[in-house]
Amino acid sequence: MKALEIPAERSRLSEVNDFVLDFAEELGFSHAELFQLKVCTEEIFVNVASYAYAPDTGMITVTADGSADPLTVTFSFIDCGKPFDPLAKPDPAKDRPLSQAKKGGLGIFITKKLMDEVSYAYEGGRNILTIRKNHVPTENSHE
């Protein structure tokens, strides 16, 4: 397992992206899967940076764990900010266009759709949001 601990500041997003994408790329995830991980990482990190400690700033720890067989990766985003379960918010109504959706909540909805598992826990004064992605071989891959 690897970990990155940095201030939860929007200006540090590229460091978090590099950490997540480098870890997943070393395991062998496809470009499409890396893009999905990037979208989800950005959503989660920006939300923590924007709201967890507002108006102050705090730290975030991102942990990475994975395996090559089966090819899977798990990232946890851990902060000591205000308790907040993003999974408690209902998904947008399916019968309404996204343009009519209420502000906020689409990022976690997209994360739930792109990842194979998303979970939240509040333990020991810490928010822990965990995402897992399983590799899905494509017809074009030689796996």
Side-chain angles (χ1 to χ4, degrees):
M1 182 181 301
K2 289 186 176 182
L4 171 71
E5 184 175 9
I6 62 169
E9 299 170 350
R10 286 177 177 233
S11 63
R12 307 299 288 268
L13 176 60
S14 63
E15 292 171 66
V16 176
N17 273 336
D18 288 348
F19 174 76
V20 167
L21 298 177
D22 289 350
F23 188 87
E25 188 173 33
E26 285 178 22
L27 286 173
F29 280 86
S30 71
H31 290 292
E33 292 163 331
L34 292 172
F35 178 76
Q36 292 173 348
L37 285 164
K38 182 177 189 230
V39 167
C40 297
T41 296
E42 288 181 1
E43 176 60 32
I44 295 166
F45 181 77
V46 168
N47 279 341
V48 171
S50 300
Y51 305 113
Y53 298 101
D56 299 318
T57 300
M59 299 297 287
I60 185 169
T61 301
V62 183
T63 64
D65 199 7
S67 69
D69 188 21
L71 183 52
T72 185
V73 69
T74 303
F75 296 99
S76 291
F77 298 80
I78 305 164
D79 69 78
C80 296
K82 300 172 189 111
F84 177 70
D85 180 357
L87 303 180
K89 185 171 182 156
D91 291 342
K94 293 180 181 179
D95 58 344
R96 293 174 47 193
L98 285 180
S99 61
Q100 293 179 5
K102 292 181 181 177
K103 185 178 183 207
L106 288 180
I108 198 67
F109 173 72
I110 290 168
T111 298
K112 290 190 304 189
K113 293 297 181 189
L114 294 178
M115 296 295 109
D116 293 292
E117 185 177 321
V118 181
S119 63
Y120 169 82
Y122 186 75
E123 298 173 359
R126 303 179 313 156
N127 292 293
I128 305 167
L129 185 66
T130 301
I131 60 174
R132 183 174 50 79
K133 183 72 178 165
N134 301 325
H135 172 68
V136 178
T138 62
E139 285 185 34
N140 296 338
S141 67
H142 300 287
E143 300 166 40

